[in-house]
Amino acid sequence: MTKIEEFIEVVKQGKYVQAHEILEDDWRFYRKKGLKPEEKAIQGLINGATALALFFIKKRPTSYEKVWKVFEKYEHYLNIANLENIEKYIEAKELLLKINSTIKK
């Protein structure tokens, strides 16, 4: 199972903090290489999972709103990122959006 597939599975289980950790090394790798589209695409997914953790687990709606905005800011990088299995990254984005849509604002 790839890291992005693992990310998707743990998000489906509501383990948002764990999901964040799964992609952390990949984010650091792309950041260190200076590959901005890949770095920001992954950072967006990480922030999406973090935002959901803040809302559902930590019960901090104000913090959730701030972090979710980072997800929204970076999600477009998935359109230009050169990531292997890009379709899985897009699936992860769609999953985060679907879960987020259940939040009453």
Side-chain angles (χ1 to χ4, degrees):
M1 181 179 288
T2 64
K3 286 186 180 183
I4 191 61
E5 290 170 328
E6 187 178 351
F7 177 89
I8 291 167
E9 288 306 309
V10 297
V11 167
K12 286 178 180 177
Q13 296 168 23
K15 298 177 181 177
Y16 307 118
V17 175
Q18 184 179 346
H20 169 121
E21 298 299 323
I22 290 168
L23 294 181
E24 194 80 24
D25 288 340
D26 288 351
W27 171 74
R28 283 192 187 104
F29 170 81
Y30 289 113
R31 184 173 178 217
K32 190 178 274 189
K33 295 282 187 185
L35 299 170
K36 185 176 179 177
E38 293 76 14
E39 170 200 349
K40 296 301 183 187
I42 293 171
Q43 184 178 355
L45 295 177
I46 289 170
N47 278 277
T50 301
L52 295 176
L54 287 166
F55 187 85
F56 289 113
I57 299 167
K58 303 287 185 180
K59 309 296 184 202
R60 294 172 46 198
T62 303
S63 297
Y64 146 79
E65 289 177 19
K66 290 178 184 175
V67 177
W68 186 257
K69 287 179 183 175
V70 178
F71 166 80
E72 293 175 327
K73 178 180 174 181
Y74 294 144
E75 71 174 305
H76 76 276
Y77 280 101
L78 286 169
N79 298 326
I80 59 172
N82 185 21
L83 294 165
E84 193 171 322
N85 298 317
I86 189 67
E87 70 282 350
K88 289 293 182 184
Y89 287 87
I90 293 169
E91 179 183 338
K93 176 188 85 164
E94 294 300 323
L95 176 61
L96 293 171
L97 287 167
K98 181 179 177 184
I99 295 166
N100 186 64
S101 74
T102 68
I103 295 173
K104 306 287 187 240
K105 297 177 183 146

